[in-house]
Amino acid sequence: MTNPELAQLQMLAEIDDLVARITRWVNHDVPWSPAQQCRALLKRLLKRVDQLRIRLEAPLVIATFGGTGTGKSSLVNALIGQEISRVGKQRPTTTRPILLVHPQSEPESLGLPLDEFEIHRVESPLLRDIVIIDCPDMDTPESESAGSHLDVLHRVLPLSDVLLYVSTQQKYRDAIVGEELIRAAAGCRLLFVQSHADVDDDVRQDWAKRLQDHYEVPEMFFVDSVRALREQQAGQRASGDFGRLQDLLTSQMISSQRIQIRRANLLDLALESLQLCQQKVEGNWPQVAELIGELKAQKHKLCGSMAGILRDELDVSSNLWERRLLSRATEIWGFSPFSAMLRLYNGLGSFIASFSFFRARTPVQMAVIGAIEGVRRIKTKFQDSEAEGRLDRVASLGMNDDELREAQLVIRGYAQSALITEDQIPSSMETMRTTAAKVQDSFLGEAGRKIDDVIEQQARRHTGLFTRLFYETLFLSYPLFILFAIGKNFFYDSFYTGNKDLYTIDFYIPAALFLLMWSGLWVMLYIRRCRRGLDRKIEELAKTLAESRFEGGLFQQLEETCRRVDLDRQNLQSMKSAADALRQTLATSPSSGLGSKSPTADVT
Amino acid sequence: MNQQFGEASKTVQRLASAVEALNQRAEILQVPPLKSYEWHETLRQKLVPQLGDHAFLVVAVVGGTNIGKSVIFNHLAGCSASSVSPLASGTKHPVCLVPPGFDQKSDLNNVFTDFTLEAWSDANRALAETDIDYLFWKTSDSTPANLLILDTPDIDSDAPVNWDRADKIRRSADVLIAVLTQQKYNDAAVKQFFRKAAAEDKAILVVFNQCEFPEDEEYWPLWLEKFCSETEVVPELVYLAPRDKLAAKENRLPFQQRDWPSGSAELDRSPHDLMRDLSQMHFSEIKLRSLRGSLRSLLDEQQGVPKWLNVLSVRAGLYRSATEQLATNKLAGREQWPPIPNPLLVKVIRAWWRERREGWSRSVHEFYNTVSDSILWPFQKMKQSFQAPPEPPFDAYRQREWSAILETVETIFERLEFMSHTDNQVLAERLGKLLDGKSRAELLRLLENAHTNIDFERELQELVSVEMQRFEQESPHSHHFLKKLDQLSAMVRPATSVGLFMLGVGPAGDMAAQAFGNAALGAVVHVTGDVVGGTAVAVGGDAVLGSATHKIAGEIEIWFRKLHALFVAKRVTWLLEQLQQHLWGTFLEDLSSGAELTESPEYLAIATILEELRPQLAALDESEESDSSAPAPSTESGVVHP
C-alpha cells in the first residue's frame, strides 16, 4: 500500500473514532440542560451519519440549489445533454424534486425517500457515477407548511453530497436564498454557478466577495445552459465554463472519490454541530463555575467553623486529653512499678470523672475519648433519638436549622442560574439535617483519627527508654530505700545485732504516707511533662482540620453533578479539537475544486 | 372633503401623542417597541405628516434588487439621477425628485420624518453604505408640481437596512411603481412587500422589466395574474419594458402599456412616457385612497392600534396575576411569627410601671428595692462567678425571629421560583436576577445585619409605653385597680421584708420580699400572660385577684393579648420594609403599575380616540364614493407638463 493510501485509511479511522466518541458522549446523560440540548443536537447529527454510512459506496448525490428562475432545470438538462427537467417562464416551475439516475443504477440503494421524487432514468455518461436531483426553489414559498415544496426541499437537501448552487445577476444577493444556503451547506461540498451568461453581466467577483465570509469559494462558473445544450445536441462538446464544469463533475465525482467527499462532508457536519454545542456549553459554563466556587466556599466555611468549635471544645476538655494520653502512655510503657502507679491514678481519675461533669457529653468530647469508641457511641446514642437528637447534634458543631436553611437558599439560587436540574438539591429541612449529621459524623471521624494520631505520637514521645528509666529509677528509689531500711532493721539491727527494736506502726504510717506523696509527686511531674506541647498540638490539629480537603459537603449530589458537567465539557472540548485537527489535515490535502462552508462561519 | 380631512387629521394628531404617552407608561410591561408595529410606523410616517397637508402625491419606484428600479427612475427623472450598476443591492438610500417651488408649499422634512435629508449632488452618493438613513433630494423641472418621485433601495437583498428604508418609503407613498421581472415576480419577499402595500390601498403601477419579445407577450398576463392573486394588488396601469441593456444605459428604454385585466388585443406598441401618464392620474382620488387605506390599517382589529391595546391588556393581565401571587401580606406569615416570651414582656411592663409610680408608693418601693439590691449584691456576684454569664434576655427571641424571617424568605423564593418556571416569560429576566445565588446571599447578609442591630428591648419599651398610656385612657377602671394594688403592696412591704429577714431566711427572705413587693402587678400580668400563652392556669391567680375582679382581669387579658399582636405586627412590618428595600426594589411597584395600565387614563384615552376616528373614516369613505362619481376637479388632476 502506498503512503497516501495509508494516510487516507488513517484519516478514515480517525473520523470513525470521532463518531464513536460522539456516540459515547451522547449516550452518557448529564443532568444539565445545556448539555442535554447539545445531546439532542448531536443525536440528529448521528442520525445523518448513519444515513451516510448506509450509502457510503453509493453514487454521489448532486442537488441543484438556488432561487426561482435562476435556471436550475436548464443547467441540469444541459449537464445531461437532454431536455428532461421542465423549463419554464412561470414561477415556480419545479415544485417536486426530480431525480435523475442512470438506467443501470439502482435508486433504491441510495437511501433516499424515493416517493418524494419524480424519477427519470437517463442514459447519460455523466450519470454513471452520480445521481442528480433537480430541486425546487426556496424563495417563492412564504411559509414552510407540511407538504409545501419548501418542506420537501428541507428534507431532500440534507441527503445530498454536493450542492450545485445556481444564481443570477438578479438573485445572487437574495436574502432568503442566503439563509437557506447557511442552513443547507453544512455537510455538503459546494459548486457555484452563475447562469444566464447570454444576457447577464458577469458578477462572479462581487458574488465571491459576498460568499467568502461564510464559505470556501473555489472557481465559479459562468454558464449559458441553453447554448451548452444546443452544442451537445449538435454532437459537440460544450464550450467555455460549462465544459469545465462538466469536466469537474466527471473527474471529481468518480467512484474513487466518493468516500473522501462523504467523509469530508461528515467531518464538516460534525465540526459544525460540535461548534454549536461548544458555544452553548461555554455560554452557560460561567454560571456553573460560579456554583462550583460557591460550593467550595461554603464547604470551606463549614469546615472552618466546625474546626473552630472543635478546637474550643478540645481546649475545654483538656482533662479528657490527659486521661487518654496517660492510658495510651501506660499501655506503651508495659508493666512496671511506675506504670502501675500511673494506671492507678488514671483509673481513679476516670472513676471520679464518671460521676462528675467531666464526663464526655458532646460528640466532640467523644471524639477525644477515642475515634472508634467515640463514633460507635455517637451512633448508638443518636440512633435512639433520631429526630430531635439530630438537631442537637448538628447544632453542637455550629450547624443549626437557620444556617442550613441559609445555605440551601443561596445554593439553590446558584444552581438555578447554572441551569442544573433542581432535584440535585435536598429540598426538605429533614433531608438537610440528615445530610448535615452525616457530614458531621464523617468530620468527627476524621478528627478522631487525627486526635488518635496526636495522642499516639505524644504518648510515644514520652515513653522513650530513657524517660522510662528515669522515672522508674527515681520513683523506685524511695520504695527501695524503705525496703532497705526495713530489711536492715529486721535482719541486721534487730535479728543479728539485736540492739534495736523492730520498727513500729509509727514508722510504717509515715513511710506509707511519704510513699503516697512520692508517687503522687512523680505521677504529677510525668503528667505535666506529657501536657507540655499538647496545647500547641491542639492548635495545629485544628488548623489542619480546617484546611483539610474534606470530602463530604452539604450538597454532595450537586458537587458530583458539577464535577460531571465539568468532565462533560472537557470531553466536548477535546472532541471539538480532534475534529478541528482532522479538518486541518483535510484542508492541507490536495484541493478537489469543490467549495464548502467555512468551519469558522458563525452559525445561528 | 377638506374639512373631513381636517377633523381626521386632528384626531390622528391626538392619537399620535396619546400613543406616545401610553407607550411611556407601558415601558414597564416590556412589550415590543412601538417601532416594530406597522400601524405605528404608518401613523408616524404617513398619517401624521400627510393628513393635514395632502397637496402632493408621493410616487415611489420599488422592487427587488438588480431588476432596474434605478433605470426606471432615471427614465422618470429624465436624467441619471440614480446610479445604475450591474451589481446587486446598489441603491442604499432613496433619491427623491422634487418639483420646483415645492419647498414654498411644504417642508420635505415633515414628509420624510425618519430620513436625514440631503440635497442631491452626485448619483453615487445613494450607493454609500452608512448607518444613517439618508434621503437625497433633487429639484427637477420635469416633475409635475405636486408630485414627489422616489427611487428606493431593494426589498429582498441580504442587507436588511435596505428593506427597512424601502418600507419607510412605502408607507409614505401614495403611488408605487412596482418593478417586476420574470425571475422575481413570485418571490416571497416581493409578495410580502406588495401585500402590505395593497392592504394600505396604494395605487400601484406594474412595470415588467427585462421582457423578451415576442415570447413573453404570452406569459406576462400569467405572471401578473399570479402576482395579483397572491398579493391582492389591483394594478392601475401595466407596462412592459424590453431587455435592452443599451437602451437602459442611454435612458431610452421604451415602456409599452398593456391593458389589464382585459389583456385586450389593442396592442399599442408606441412607447409611453411614464411621467406623462403619472401626471394624468386623479391625484386627489389617489391621495384620498391611500390615506384612507392607511387609516383603515391603523384601525384594523388584527394589525392596528386595537391589536396593540389588546397586547397591552394581555400583558397587564399577566402582571396582575403576578401581583396577586406575590401579595406581600400572604407571604410574610404572621401565624408562624414567634410571640415575645411573657417574662420579657412582663419585665418591660414592670420597668415602665416602676417609672410611673408616684408619691408615697414610689418612695416605699424604691427604698426597699435599693435595700434588697444592696443586700443581694454579693450573692448575685457569687452566683455569677459560678455560672456562665447569662445570655442576654432577648437573644433567644432574636434567634427565633431570625428563623421566622428565614422561613418567610424561603417562601418568597419558592413562590418566585414557581413563577419563573411556569408562566411569565416576560418577568423571567427580572425574576432571574432576584433569584440568582449572589443576590440571595446579599439579601440574607443585609437582612441579618439589620436584624442583629435591632434593639428589641427598646422596641418593646416603646410599644409598651404607647400602649400603657392608651390602656390608661381606655380602661381607667383596670388601670386604677392596678394602681391600688400597687399601693397596697407598698403598704405591706415593710412587714414582708422585715418579717422574712427576721425569720432568718436572710437573703433568700429578702428575695421573697422583693418578689412579693412586685407581685401585685406581676401577678396580674403573669396570670393574664399565662392565659394568653395558654400554658397553665396560675395557681394563685384567683386568690390574688379575688373573684370580684374577674371583669378587670378580662380587660387586662384582652389588652395583654393585643400587646402581643401589636408587637408581632410591628416586627412583620419591619420585615416587609426590609424586604422592600433589599429584595423588591421597584419590582412590586412596577408589577402593580403594569397591572393597572388598562385602567389608566392614557389607555382609556386611546380607546376614546379610536371611537372618534371610526366614524371619521366612514365619512371619508362616503365622500370618496360621491367623489368618484363626480368628475375630478381639474385643479387637482393633471399638471402642465413642460
Side-chain angles (χ1 to χ4, degrees), chain A residues 358-373:
Chain A
F358 292 122
R359 215 169 41 197
R361 282 162 307 166
T362 64
V364 182
Q365 287 166 346
M366 285 178 197
V368 176
I369 291 176
I372 303 140
E373 220 246 349

Side-chain angles (χ1 to χ4, degrees), chain A residues 32 97 196 232 304 322 367 406 416 503 509 561 588:
Chain A
W32 188 43
H196 296 345
Q232 288 176 80
E322 280 156 27
E406 278 174 46
Q416 201 166 28
Y503 289 153
I509 286 175
T561 307
T588 50

Side-chain angles (χ1 to χ4, degrees), chain A residues 285 287-306 407 410-411 414 545-556 558-560 562-563 566 570:
Chain A
W285 173 249
Q287 285 89 325
V288 181
E290 234 171 51
L291 172 64
I292 292 175
E294 186 61 24
L295 281 171
K296 212 176 263 172
Q298 196 107 37
K299 214 157 93 175
H300 190 75
K301 205 178 110 194
L302 181 71
C303 225
S305 84
M306 286 198 299
V410 172
I411 291 295
Y414 278 102
L545 277 176
E547 281 162 9
S548 67
R549 303 188 107 254
F550 177 54
E551 274 315 305
L554 287 176
F555 305 96
Q556 260 169 328
L558 194 61
E559 279 177 62
E560 178 58 30
C562 288
R563 260 195 295 279
D566 193 14
Q570 284 166 14

Side-chain angles (χ1 to χ4, degrees), chain A residues 68-70 88-92 139-142 168-176 179 196 199-203 206 210 290 400 402-403 405-406 408-410 412-414 416-417 422 427 429, chain B residues 65-67 86-89 156-158 163 181-188 191-192 195 210 212 216 219 222-223 243 245 399 402-403 406-407 410 413 417 421 435-438 440-441 444 448:
Chain A
T68 186
T70 53
K89 291 207 168 209
Q90 269 181 281
R91 306 281 146 243
D139 61 347
T140 57
E142 290 175 70
T168 63
Q169 193 185 353
Q170 282 187 31
K171 289 247 163 133
Y172 73 99
R173 286 194 64 181
D174 193 278
I176 297 177
E179 279 163 27
H196 296 345
V199 287
D200 281 357
D201 293 321
D202 186 352
V203 294
D206 189 44
R210 306 288 158 192
E290 234 171 51
N400 58 25
D402 289 348
E403 273 174 63
R405 205 186 287 269
E406 278 174 46
Q408 191 197 24
L409 263 178
V410 172
R412 263 181 95 90
Y414 278 102
Q416 201 166 28
S417 352
E422 241 178 81
S427 53
M429 259 346 262
Chain B
T65 180
N66 230 8
I67 55 172
L87 302 183
S89 185
D156 64 346
S157 80
D158 48 12
W163 320 345
T181 63
Q182 192 257 108
Q183 270 181 45
K184 289 209 172 174
Y185 74 88
N186 198 20
D187 279 8
K191 285 187 284 186
Q192 275 160 15
R195 194 170 297 134
Q210 302 186 357
E212 277 156 15
D216 283 349
Y219 287 110
L222 300 173
W223 301 340
R243 184 197 289 280
K245 277 189 207 171
Q399 195 64 43
W402 178 241
S403 301
L406 275 184
E407 253 170 64
E410 196 179 28
F413 278 137
E417 270 169 30
H421 282 310
L435 283 173
D436 113 71
K438 241 183 236 149
R440 286 179 190 220
L444 288 180
E448 197 165 9

Side-chain angles (χ1 to χ4, degrees), chain A residues 470-598:
Chain A
F470 177 73
Y471 279 95
E472 292 290 356
T473 318
L474 282 172
F475 169 68
L476 279 179
S477 62
Y478 177 76
L480 286 177
F481 168 71
I482 295 285
L483 270 182
F484 172 74
I486 294 171
K488 184 171 170 277
N489 171 260
F490 183 80
F491 290 108
Y492 183 75
D493 292 340
S494 136
F495 181 71
Y496 180 66
T497 55
N499 49 9
K500 272 189 187 167
D501 286 337
L502 279 175
Y503 289 153
T504 60
I505 197 79
D506 294 343
F507 170 80
Y508 283 106
I509 286 175
L513 269 176
F514 278 118
L515 179 63
L516 202 64
M517 281 162 68
W518 180 252
S519 62
L521 173 76
W522 287 109
V523 166
M524 260 167 65
L525 283 174
Y526 184 69
I527 288 174
R528 268 197 61 176
R529 181 197 164 109
C530 284
R531 274 181 82 161
R532 222 183 300 142
L534 198 58
D535 289 346
R536 216 187 58 240
K537 285 273 173 201
I538 292 175
E539 191 64 37
E540 272 171 22
L541 176 69
K543 216 161 149 193
T544 48
L545 277 176
E547 281 162 9
S548 67
R549 303 188 107 254
F550 177 54
E551 274 315 305
L554 287 176
F555 305 96
Q556 260 169 328
Q557 206 185 350
L558 194 61
E559 279 177 62
E560 178 58 30
T561 307
C562 288
R563 260 195 295 279
R564 274 171 67 192
V565 167
D566 193 14
L567 195 68
D568 201 50
R569 170 175 153 264
Q570 284 166 14
N571 280 337
L572 185 65
Q573 234 160 18
S574 91
M575 290 192 298
K576 163 83 177 10
S577 36
D580 269 333
L582 283 174
R583 175 75 215 237
Q584 280 294 318
T585 328
L586 262 193
T588 50
S589 61
S591 156
S592 56
L594 298 174
S596 64
K597 199 170 180 180
S598 305

